[in-house]
Structures are given as C-alpha cells and as structure tokens.
C-alpha cells in the first residue's frame, strides 16, 4: 500500500456485520471500516471473523470499495504476539488499512505487515498540528483521524500537513475525548480503551452545587450530547483539505448505514461538483437521518463550542422525529396538540415524560382519529403521560422497508473468478479443456470429427464456454489450439463446461485460480515469530528491530525501525537506590505541605496556570523539592501559549500529557515525565516515548496488577512511575457542565466563569457524588468520588523493580495531605504492610478507598 491510496476523496461508512457492509456498498460508500473479535473499540458489535475476511475483502474489492480494519484499542504486553498474528492475517487477506490507537502497535505493524496502510485512530487523541506532525515524523502515517472536538476554524490549521485527514461527519458523539475516557474502567472495569465502553455518559445525573442539589427541571442527562450531523458542513470540510468523511455507527442497524451513507454520498458528490448553494440535505434526507437513529441532530463542535446546544440533557436514548406534544390522555388513547412527522398507524412512538428513560412509555400506533392516537391494550401505561410531554416518532416501517430494498439484493452476490481456458484437440481424439489457474481439466466423451457446416471456431468456443452465469465464474481468457475444422455437438460442449465448473468448485477456493485474497485462517506467508524475536532492547535501553531475512519481509518501509545486528538479550540492573515518591498537587497549599514534609518530587496541576511561576519560585527559594509543572491533557491548535507559560515559569521539569507537548519539552534540559494520558500499556509504546526524550513514563491506568507486572518484566522497570493513590479522572471533556447548567453562556467569553466561584459534583444513580473540575483550557474533568490505592500490591511492585510511585491529591485539606503522605511514607520505608494500609485508608475515608483498576477481575 502507499499513502496515495489514502489521498483520494472517500466516504467511509461503518459495518458491524455483513448486512451493514452490504448497505454501505449499495448506498455509495467508498470504503467501510469494521472490527475483528479482538483489539477493536466496539466489542459489542457483531464484528467479522478470520473466516469472513477473504470473502468480505473480495466482495468489497469487486465493488471498488476499500476495507479498513479497526485495531483501535490499547495492547497489553501479553497480547503482542496475538497482535502480530492478527496483523499478518489482515495483510494476507488483502485488507487495505488498519486504524490504530496504540503507538506500540503502530510500530509493530510497520515491521510485520508493511503492506497495510496505517491510520491513526481518533483514539490516539490527535488534537493539534504539532501532535500530528510528531506522530507522523516518528512512525509514518498514511492517514490521521482527528478529534471530533475540532472546529472548522481549528481544522484550518491542519492544512499544511502532508498527512491525509479524516473527520467524523455523522453519528454519536462521545462526551469525553476519545482515548481519554476512563469512566467505564474506573466504575466497572470495562475500559473504553479496550472496546468495552459502558456508556456512563448516557446515564442521568443530579447537579450538586456547593453541597446542594440544583433543580434543573427535566434536564437530567447532563453528559449526553446530541448526535453529530455535519452534512451542511461537507463543503467547508472539503475546502479545508479533509479527504475522508467518516460516519460513526458500528453498533447501528443496516437501515441506519443505508440512510446515512446515501445522504452523505449525495452531499459529497454535490460539494465536489461545486453545487453548494442551498441546503446539502433536503427535509426528506433529514427525516431519514432522524428516524434511523438520532438523539437530536447538531453540528457538534464544527462551529466551536456552544454549551447551550451540545447537550440537551432531556434524554440519553434514541428519539427520532418530533411528532408533537400531548394535549390530553386517557385509557388507551393520547391526543396531541398537533400531528407531525407524517405519523401513521404502525409507526412507533415514545413519550418523553421527563423521567428516567429506562422507564419511558411507548409503542406502535394502532389507529389515528384526527389528532387522537390509540394503542393496543396493555402496551402503554397512560397514567404516567401528562399534557405537554413530547411525543417522538421512533420507527417508520415504510421507510425501513425502502431502505432495506436498497441493499437486500446484495445478499445474493457471489464472488466472480475469471477462468483462463486452454482448448486443444485434433481429429479422432477427444476435445480437452484445461483451466490454467487451477489445473482442472475435462475431455469429451466422443472424438472430434471433420466439420461439414459449423466448425469449432474460437468465437463458438467463447460463446458456449462463456455461459457461466450463476456459477461464480466468468471467462477471462480462452486460447484454442484445435487443429483443423473440427466438430463436436453443442450439447457435449455444454456438458464439458458444467463438468469443468463442478471440478473447480469441488476442489475448493484454492483451486479457482483466484489470487485476490488468501485464506486468513491459514498461516501467513511470514513465519509466526513472537514480538521478542522482532524487537529487542539494545545495550542503551533502546528498543530496536532485529535483522530479518529479506525473503521473510522484503518490504520494510523507510520509516520503520532501523535494523541492528542481533547481540542477544541485554541485561538491565536497577541500582538499589530506594523508592522515590512523587505527589501531584492541585493547589499551592498542597505544594507547600509536600515541600515541608520532605517530598522529593511534586507535580503542580493548577486550574489557573498563571500561578505556576510563583509556585516554582517559592519552592526553589524554600526547599530542595523538585517541582514539575503539568501540561493540559489536551492541546488544540493555537494553544501552544500554555507551553510557553510553563516554560517561562522555569520549572525543574514537566509532566507531559499530550502528544504535541512531547517534542516541545523534550531535549530542553529539564526533567520530562510522560503522564497516563499518553496511554503507555506495553514495552513497545514505552520504548517509543523513551526514544522521543521522555525520561520517566507513567503506566496506563487501564492495566491491572498482572498487566503492570508483565510490563515491568518486559522493559526496564526504572523507566516507569505508577500512580499508587488517586481519585481516577474519569471523563475529560470539551463540554463544560459549569457553563451549560450554571450560566446562559455559550463559551468562556460569556459564561461568567461559574467554575471559579462554585464547587460542583455530579450525583450518579447510586448516590455517589463525583467532583467536577475545570482546567486552564476550560475543559472539564469528572473524578471518581472514591479514591483507589495500589498499596496492597506494593511488595510485588517493588520486587519487580519499580522504584517510583505517585500519590495524586484532589480536594484533601492540609491535615488530609499530611496524613496521606505519612501513611505512604511508612509503606515505602517498610514500616507498614500494604494490606493493613489499605484497610486503614478505608477506615479514614467517609467514601471508602478501593483497590480500583489495579485489582484483577475473577470470572
């Protein structure tokens, strides 16, 4: 593959199963993206199996459609060998590209499957031109899927890049930045970075302000955005150099895929033809988009933040088209104020009563009399329906039937393989027909004789032997060496054709002469070598690619890892220099206490970064503590000013939290620590960031204790820092809850900054109140109300060679900070047992302290 394949304009549709793939192809997709049973961010989709791959890719390529496979999750150390096997099978099956989150997996793919084009997933959290340039320069990308939170104005800043850009134009919006959501992992051990999102953003929450519940009326779904619909922005995206227009929805129905693909196909074709006057979508188009799936349609962040529009907060489930409002209701009937959305008998509706959507009422309309709707007995609890409630049309069987008709005929598709026939014979001998690709051969039951009227010309042979309709074959070439003007009954010629087809079919797929794809379940062309035989650590702590046999993999691209002579495994000895404790502080008071308590390293992560300079000066003047300043987790175009602010504060080091900050701060003579947000989950990713200049790497919060120990065994343990105590940062989002529900402002310019004057928590359905904080970029982070500790595993971690761990403070007061520091110092000094410490912390905390994400789950 080459990058050229990724520069053509492309409408990219989702496919969670075969029906969705057919729906996408039939309605004009240029490519589809789909997942396999592993390493896929939509594990709840049907997905495709290794056995499906050859036929799926053949189907797609026969229709001129590309197939992209999502490997858009983090890869753990113990999974690298399985990832190697999957990469090679994808390459052998003719997959066009892979969509990757994990940087270690990206470098692995370059080494073992170089014919696969490499796309950076939105899960890689590429939010700035600097971040994109860094990844492309280091690994080499064929395409990048940018963050959904980027506006048209911000996308303009990416025009100078050489990497083809892909942007989501339609579908569900995650409230958190992709690749940065730890909510499912923190609350239920179902990581979104592992394809197991529990959709906590679609749940109801109560807003707790300064300790009191705020009455928001029927707005309860405070973190559930409307769905993205950027069909009107297609021309503007095209003008900004976007090459791939992506539709979200691998968990959606084939009818959804058909409808959305058709609408955006029309819009993209019109934009390419310069027909941009007037709306890109007709009312009928918008109706199709609403009915196939919609939580409300909005342009998302395309025009910048609008905190009054993004989250409607009244529901978290599908709604569809608004049919009207309730005027009155009685047993078996509901009367509307007006009738909309073309409502008719048989359509499905739901009543938006302002309560929990898990208890909402709805059903199919039985009869319509004027504005009165009737329903089958027992299907609806009419006592919960009140005047003014919204009525949404959620199902239109007539529309669904029309959409299915667009792709149902695709189910009859069969692969067509070209037969290359050689026909030979002479008088007195049988006619012999051989298929060159498979070697299958047949001969006539009677000898050839001299023709009196109609000899077996090449035209006659082509006509008779080419009648292959419905067999899955066509006649690609025919070569005749029949000597003289011979004759054979046409009935015998037809019999030979049927027999030849039967023989090819009986021999199986490998005998049909096709070389388009290989059997993905068979071993790949390259031997199955474990990752440790592909990469090794050299004597300097760098990870390099071992020299490979050119016949084994002749296509190592120029941007791949440089080959090295195999020097055997390197040994690493960690000096026994004690355990270093670092503490992340969110206020100046916490920093001061850490300095007074003799903490060696502290990180400052203040909501107001303007306070950094004073904190650095104070620590330098009064203590020996090293103070590192934290970058924002997200850096968008034009936000390098935050980096300059940190640099001017002259800290001793920086806690690097985003890709754009890596090249900015490394090699500047200050200590650099990569934070958890870089998603370091395996030794290949760790080695990558070490090579880029980061000195210490925070272990990903997605790893449990067994996976952490695997990582420490596979790479030098002195590279790593582990967060031992924290309130897990769950959602990290562009959506500002403060502005949306405590102001009328659309942006930070007119919101009045309620984040500076109020303490806000979100109360979930089980009564836990999770603290909400705003950062310097006005982005919100929701923290788990319960702290988690890894103290129970400290002995194992220390035995594995770990020498650096972290405590993260949140809202602890002065006494709480001192108590935590002294408790953990006792653990590090060997004066306390990890299990006893955990029990002690649980007793001290009103909310309890959990083992959190480090705890292994038992099945």
């Amino acid at each position: 593959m080459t990058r050229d394949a990724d520069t053509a304009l492309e409408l990219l549709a989702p496919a969670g199963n075969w029906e969705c793939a057919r729906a996408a192809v039939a309605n004009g997709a240029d490519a589809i993206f789909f997942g396999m049973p592993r390493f896929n961010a939509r594990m709840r989709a049907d997905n495709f199996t290794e056995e499906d791959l050859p036929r799926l890719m053949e189907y797609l390529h026969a229709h001129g459609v590309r197939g992209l496979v999502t490997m858009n999750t983090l890869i753990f150390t113990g999974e690298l060998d399985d990832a190697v096997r999957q990469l090679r099978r994808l390459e052998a099956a003719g997959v066009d590209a892979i969509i990757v989150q994990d940087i270690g997996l990206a470098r692995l793919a370059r080494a073992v499957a170089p014919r696969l084009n490499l796309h950076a997933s939105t899960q890689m959290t590429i939010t700035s031109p600097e971040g994109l340039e860094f990844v492309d320069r280091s690994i080499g990308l064929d395409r990048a899927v940018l963050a959904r939170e980027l506006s048209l104005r911000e996308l303009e800043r990416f025009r100078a890049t050489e990497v083809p850009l892909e942007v989501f134009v339609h579908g569900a919006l995650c409230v958190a930045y992709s690749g940065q959501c730890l909510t499912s992992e923190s609350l239920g051990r179902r990581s979104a970075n592992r394809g197991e999102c529990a959709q906590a953003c679609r749940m109801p929450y109560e807003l707790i302000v300064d300790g009191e519940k705020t009455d928001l009326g029927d707005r309860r779904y405070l973190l559930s955005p409307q769905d993205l619909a950027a069909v009107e922005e297609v021309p503007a995206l095209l003008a900004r150099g976007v090459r791939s227009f992506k539709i979200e929805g691998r968990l959606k129905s084939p009818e959804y895929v058909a409808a959305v693909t058709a609408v955006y196909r029309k819009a993209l074709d019109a934009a390419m033809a310069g027909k941009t006057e007037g709306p890109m979508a007709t009312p009928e188009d918008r109706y199709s988009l609403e009915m196939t799936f919609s939580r409300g349609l909005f342009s998302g962040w395309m025009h910048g933040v609008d905190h009054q529009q993004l989250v409607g907060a009244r529901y978290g489930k599908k709604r569809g088209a608004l049919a009207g409002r309730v005027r009155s209701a009685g047993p078996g009937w509901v009367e509307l104020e007006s009738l909309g959305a073309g409502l008719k008998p048989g359509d499905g509706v739901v009543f938006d009563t302002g309560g929990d959507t898990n208890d909402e009422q709805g059903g199919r309309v039985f009869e319509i009399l004027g504005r009165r709707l009737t329903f089958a007995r027992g299907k609806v609890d009419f006592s919960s329906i009140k005047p003014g409630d919204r009525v949404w049309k959620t199902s239109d069987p007539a529309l669904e039937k029309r959409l299915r008709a667009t792709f149902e005929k695709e189910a009859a598709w069969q692969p067509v393989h070209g037969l290359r026939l050689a026909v030979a014979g002479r008088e007195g001998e049988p006619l012999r027909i051989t298929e060159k690709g498979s070697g299958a051969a047949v001969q006539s039951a009677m000898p050839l004789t001299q023709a009196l009227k109609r000899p077996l010309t090449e035209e006659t042979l082509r006509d008779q032997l080419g009648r292959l309709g419905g067999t899955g074959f066509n006649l690609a070439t025919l070569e005749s060496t029949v000597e003289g003007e011979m004759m054979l009954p046409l009935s015998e010629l037809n019999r030979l054709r049927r027999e030849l087809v039967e023989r090819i079919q009986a021999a199986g797929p490998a005998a049909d002469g096709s070389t388009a794809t290989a059997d993905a379940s068979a071993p790949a062309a390259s031997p199955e070598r474990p990752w440790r035989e592909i990469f090794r650590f050299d004597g300097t702590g760098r990870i390099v690619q071992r020299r490979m046999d050119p016949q084994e993999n002749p296509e190592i691209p120029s941007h791949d890892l440089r080959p090295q002579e195999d020097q055997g495994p390197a040994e690493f000895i960690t000096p026994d220099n004690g355990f270093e404790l670092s503490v992340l502080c969110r206020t100046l008071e916490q920093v001061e206490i850490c300095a007074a308590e003799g903490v060696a390293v502290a990180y400052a992560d203040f909501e107001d970064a303007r306070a950094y300079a004073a904190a650095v000066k104070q620590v330098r003047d009064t203590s020996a503590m090293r103070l590192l300043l934290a970058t924002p987790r997200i850096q968008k175009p034009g936000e390098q000013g935050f980096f300059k602010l940190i640099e001017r504060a002259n800290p001793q080091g920086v806690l690097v939290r985003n890709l754009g900050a890596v090249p900015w701060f490394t090699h500047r003579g200050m200590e650099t620590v990569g934070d958890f947000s870089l998603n370091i989950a395996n030794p290949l990713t760790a080695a990558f960031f070490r090579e880029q200049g980061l000195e210490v790497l925070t272990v990903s919060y997605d790893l449990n204790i067994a996976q952490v120990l695997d990582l420490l065994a596979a790479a030098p343990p002195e590279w790593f820092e582990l967060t031992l105590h924290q309130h897990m940062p769950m959602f990290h989002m562009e959506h500002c809850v403060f502005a949306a529900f405590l102001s009328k402002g659309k942006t930070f310019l007119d919101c009045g900054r309620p984040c500076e004057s109020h303490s806000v928590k979100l109360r979930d359905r089980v009564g836990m109140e999770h603290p909400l904080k705003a950062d310097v970029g006005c982005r919100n982070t929701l923290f788990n109300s319960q702290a988690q500790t890894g103290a129970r595993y400290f002995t194992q971690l220390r035995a594995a060679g770990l020498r650096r761990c972290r405590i993260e403070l949140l809202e602890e007061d002065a006494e709480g900070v001192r108590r935590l520091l002294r408790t953990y110092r006792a653990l590090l000094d060997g004066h306390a047992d990890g299990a006893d410490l955990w029990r002690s912390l649980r007793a001290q905390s009103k909310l309890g302290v959990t083992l959190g994400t480090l705890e292994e789950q038992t099945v």
Side-chain angles (χ1 to χ4, degrees):
M1 294 291 172
T2 66
R3 179 178 280 184
D4 292 343
D6 292 292
T7 60
L9 281 179
E10 176 183 275
L11 179 59
L12 179 59
N17 55 40
W18 268 104
E19 274 200 307
C20 290
R22 296 180 184 115
V25 170
N27 285 277
D30 298 303
I32 68 166
F33 62 104
F34 61 94
M36 303 291 289
R38 297 191 68 186
F39 313 127
N40 155 31
R42 291 292 182 272
M43 295 303 293
R44 289 187 293 123
D46 292 342
N47 295 312
F48 292 84
T49 66
E50 290 184 355
E51 290 72 25
D52 289 323
L53 265 180
R55 180 173 171 83
L56 176 62
M57 293 310 303
E58 189 169 13
Y59 168 72
L60 295 174
H61 290 167
H63 289 79
V65 175
R66 301 175 72 215
L68 284 53
V69 170
T70 56
M71 291 187 73
N72 53 346
T73 63
L74 300 185
I75 309 296
F76 299 148
T77 305
E79 298 172 329
L80 288 170
D81 288 341
D82 289 342
V84 169
R85 283 188 283 273
Q86 179 159 308
L87 287 167
R88 286 178 168 150
R89 280 159 173 73
L90 297 180
E91 184 181 53
V95 166
D96 295 288
I98 52 172
I99 305 172
V100 172
Q101 173 185 18
D102 193 296
I103 287 180
L105 177 66
R107 77 188 316 190
L108 190 63
R110 286 300 192 198
V112 304
R115 290 189 296 275
L116 287 174
N117 274 15
L118 182 63
H119 296 186
S121 169
T122 188
Q123 289 281 114
M124 203 177 280
T125 324
I126 295 177
T127 58
S128 70
E130 296 78 21
L132 175 56
E133 181 185 357
F134 165 66
V135 177
D136 183 43
R137 185 180 67 248
S138 306
I139 295 176
L141 296 175
D142 298 298
R143 185 187 293 171
V145 189
L146 299 181
R148 294 172 173 90
E149 289 82 357
L150 294 168
S151 68
L152 291 169
R153 183 177 180 181
E154 290 162 340
L155 288 170
E156 189 78 35
R157 302 284 191 98
F158 287 83
R159 294 195 66 172
T161 182
E162 296 181 358
V163 182
L165 303 178
E166 179 173 305
V167 169
F168 279 94
V169 292
H170 195 92
L173 284 175
C174 299
V175 75
Y177 272 90
S178 294
Q180 299 300 313
C181 185
L182 294 163
T183 312
S184 297
E185 173 71 19
S186 181
L187 296 178
R189 312 299 180 265
R190 292 175 50 183
S191 172
N193 284 329
R194 297 283 293 169
E196 297 177 319
C197 172
Q199 295 199 312
C201 56
R202 305 298 179 186
M203 296 292 106
Y205 294 90
E206 295 175 339
L207 188 67
I208 309 300
V209 181
D210 301 327
E212 299 292 332
K213 177 183 173 181
T214 298
D215 185 5
L216 297 175
D218 62 353
R219 295 184 298 168
R220 302 180 61 197
Y221 295 84
L222 310 185
L223 303 178
S224 180
Q226 298 188 73
D227 289 350
L228 172 64
V231 63
E232 300 302 331
E233 286 69 31
V234 166
L237 292 169
L238 194 60
R240 284 157 177 77
V242 172
R243 309 312 293 167
S244 181
F245 297 74
K246 188 171 193 172
I247 300 166
E248 180 275 340
R250 285 189 286 139
L251 292 171
K252 304 286 178 53
S253 70
E255 291 84 0
Y256 164 90
V257 174
V260 179
T261 303
V263 169
Y264 282 84
R265 177 78 274 161
K266 185 174 68 171
L268 185 55
D269 289 347
M272 291 167 61
K275 300 175 182 178
T276 57
E277 294 185 7
M280 304 301 292
T282 66
E284 292 77 15
D285 292 335
R286 295 196 72 84
Y287 175 75
S288 293
L289 297 178
E290 287 180 322
M291 289 307 305
T292 48
F293 195 95
S294 166
R295 298 183 184 92
L297 298 179
F298 183 56
S299 56
W301 288 282
M302 287 288 170
H303 300 285
V305 295
D306 185 342
H307 297 306
Q308 301 304 315
Q309 291 290 323
L310 180 70
V311 173
R314 290 181 171 85
Y315 43 79
K317 291 185 176 181
K318 173 184 175 180
R319 278 300 178 258
L322 184 62
R325 285 179 177 267
V326 174
R327 181 177 182 180
S328 58
W333 58 269
V334 172
E335 186 169 329
L336 305 186
E337 293 176 355
S338 62
L339 208 60
L343 198 62
K344 58 188 179 299
D347 289 346
V349 299
V350 66
F351 297 95
D352 192 348
T353 59
D356 192 328
T357 55
N358 289 322
D359 300 322
E360 63 192 10
Q361 297 298 312
R364 293 206 175 271
V365 177
F366 179 71
E367 188 177 31
I368 300 178
L369 301 172
R371 294 193 298 269
R372 179 170 291 196
L373 316 180
T374 64
F375 298 83
R377 181 174 298 176
K379 297 297 183 182
V380 179
D381 177 9
F382 295 94
S383 65
S384 64
I385 300 171
K386 57 187 181 299
D389 287 346
R390 295 176 182 84
V391 182
W392 300 92
K393 180 177 175 179
T394 56
S395 174
D396 182 342
L399 173 64
E400 293 159 13
K401 183 177 180 180
R402 289 197 301 273
L403 292 171
R404 291 197 67 83
T406 66
F407 60 86
E408 280 186 329
K409 60 184 178 182
E410 291 289 332
W413 178 86
Q414 294 291 329
V416 177
H417 301 301
L419 301 184
R420 295 173 292 149
L421 302 185
V423 184
R426 63 179 64 175
E427 184 178 5
E429 296 181 359
L431 181 73
R432 182 175 178 85
I433 305 173
T434 304
E435 203 286 305
K436 293 182 178 180
S438 62
V442 293
Q443 66 179 31
S444 61
M446 59 191 70
L448 292 168
T449 59
Q450 283 288 338
L452 300 177
K453 293 183 179 181
R454 298 177 181 174
L456 290 176
T457 63
E458 187 169 316
E459 181 181 357
T460 300
L461 290 169
R462 283 184 178 280
D463 179 56
Q464 295 300 315
L465 299 179
R467 297 182 179 185
L468 295 163
T471 65
F473 302 103
N474 63 15
L475 182 59
T477 62
L478 185 140
E479 178 184 309
S480 175
T481 57
V482 174
E483 299 177 11
E485 295 187 340
M486 297 293 107
M487 187 277 290
L488 193 71
L490 294 183
S491 59
E492 178 64 5
L493 205 55
N494 291 337
R495 186 193 68 79
L496 287 174
R497 182 190 69 237
R498 292 191 295 269
E499 183 181 351
L500 180 65
V501 168
E502 289 171 359
R503 291 195 177 191
I504 297 171
Q505 291 173 333
D512 63 12
S514 171
T515 58
T517 59
D519 181 1
S521 63
S526 301
E528 295 289 2
R529 304 169 68 219
W531 75 271
R532 293 176 187 274
E533 294 183 12
I534 300 167
F535 296 101
R536 64 173 177 81
F537 290 103
D538 69 8
T540 66
R542 291 171 58 86
I543 193 166
V544 295
Q545 186 177 340
R546 296 178 187 268
R547 185 174 299 280
M548 303 174 73
D549 185 339
Q551 292 184 346
E552 180 181 328
N553 200 340
E555 298 187 39
I556 301 295
S558 60
H559 49 252
D560 207 342
L561 299 171
R562 55 187 177 85
Q564 297 284 326
E565 292 293 341
D566 186 2
Q567 302 171 4
E571 293 184 4
F572 295 90
I573 301 174
T574 303
D576 187 12
N577 57 358
F579 217 97
E580 188 170 74
L581 177 69
S582 63
V583 183
L584 185 139
C585 304
R586 303 188 195 274
T587 67
L588 181 58
E589 182 187 39
Q590 291 174 347
V591 171
E592 292 170 343
I593 295 171
C594 286
E597 289 287 322
V599 170
V601 181
Y603 304 112
D605 180 20
F606 296 168
E607 291 182 23
D608 186 354
R610 292 172 297 181
Y612 277 165
V616 170
K617 184 178 185 307
Q618 181 172 331
V619 169
R620 283 186 186 276
D621 291 346
T622 61
S623 77
M625 184 175 73
R626 306 197 312 272
L627 182 63
L628 283 68
L629 303 182
T631 72
R633 278 174 71 180
I634 298 297
Q635 175 232 345
K636 295 179 79 174
E639 292 185 351
Q640 285 183 308
F642 294 138
F643 298 166
K644 295 176 183 177
L645 189 67
I646 291 171
E647 199 168 24
R648 285 196 298 267
N650 194 28
Q652 291 169 294
V654 178
L655 182 64
V656 175
R657 288 176 154 175
N658 62 70
L659 295 173
V662 177
W664 182 280
F665 287 108
T666 51
H667 311 297
R668 293 198 178 217
M670 62 177 71
E671 183 178 355
T672 52
V673 177
D675 207 2
F676 72 94
S677 48
L678 298 179
N679 287 323
I680 297 164
N682 61 66
L684 297 183
T685 304
F688 169 83
F689 282 109
R690 284 275 298 188
E691 290 163 15
Q692 304 309 313
L694 296 180
E695 299 164 57
V696 178
L697 308 171
T698 309
V699 176
S700 164
Y701 292 169
D702 283 283
L703 275 62
N704 64 32
I705 182 60
Q707 292 153 353
V708 171
L709 294 173
D710 283 347
L711 177 60
L712 297 178
E718 62 266 26
W719 286 4
F720 300 103
E721 177 171 286
L722 182 78
T723 301
L724 205 60
H725 182 102
Q726 65 166 320
H727 290 264
M728 179 77 82
M730 300 189 298
F731 293 112
H732 187 65
M733 48 198 173
E734 196 75 16
H735 168 51
C736 182
V737 174
F738 296 93
F741 303 108
L742 295 180
S743 84
K744 299 296 183 183
K746 294 182 177 181
T747 73
F748 74 95
L749 295 173
D750 61 357
C751 71
R753 298 183 178 270
C755 57
E756 296 179 356
S757 56
H758 294 288
S759 171
V760 171
K761 297 181 180 181
L762 297 188
R763 181 186 291 157
D764 64 21
R765 293 194 298 174
V766 298
M768 301 300 292
E769 296 183 4
H770 305 293
L772 185 76
K773 301 293 182 182
D775 71 5
V776 65
C778 290
R779 295 171 189 114
N780 285 192
T781 303
L782 188 69
F783 292 88
N784 195 324
S785 60
Q786 282 191 306
Q788 69 173 49
T789 179
R792 182 176 174 181
Y793 308 110
F794 179 74
T795 301
Q796 294 172 264
L797 293 166
R798 189 163 195 162
L802 186 71
R803 290 295 179 266
R804 186 160 168 164
C805 66
R806 182 193 306 174
I807 295 171
E808 290 205 350
L809 304 174
L810 186 59
E811 296 181 320
E812 289 84 356
D813 59 15
E815 182 55 35
V817 174
R818 293 188 185 96
R819 184 168 58 246
L820 266 181
L821 294 180
R822 293 168 185 174
T823 298
Y824 277 96
R825 181 175 291 121
L827 175 69
L828 270 58
D829 292 343
H831 299 148
D833 174 79
D836 290 340
L837 184 147
W838 172 46
R839 285 189 286 270
S840 173
L841 289 173
R842 291 178 69 188
Q844 294 171 19
S845 171
K846 294 180 181 179
L847 297 176
V849 176
T850 73
L851 295 175
T853 55
L854 284 173
E855 184 177 13
E856 289 187 81
Q857 298 297 294
T858 57
V859 179

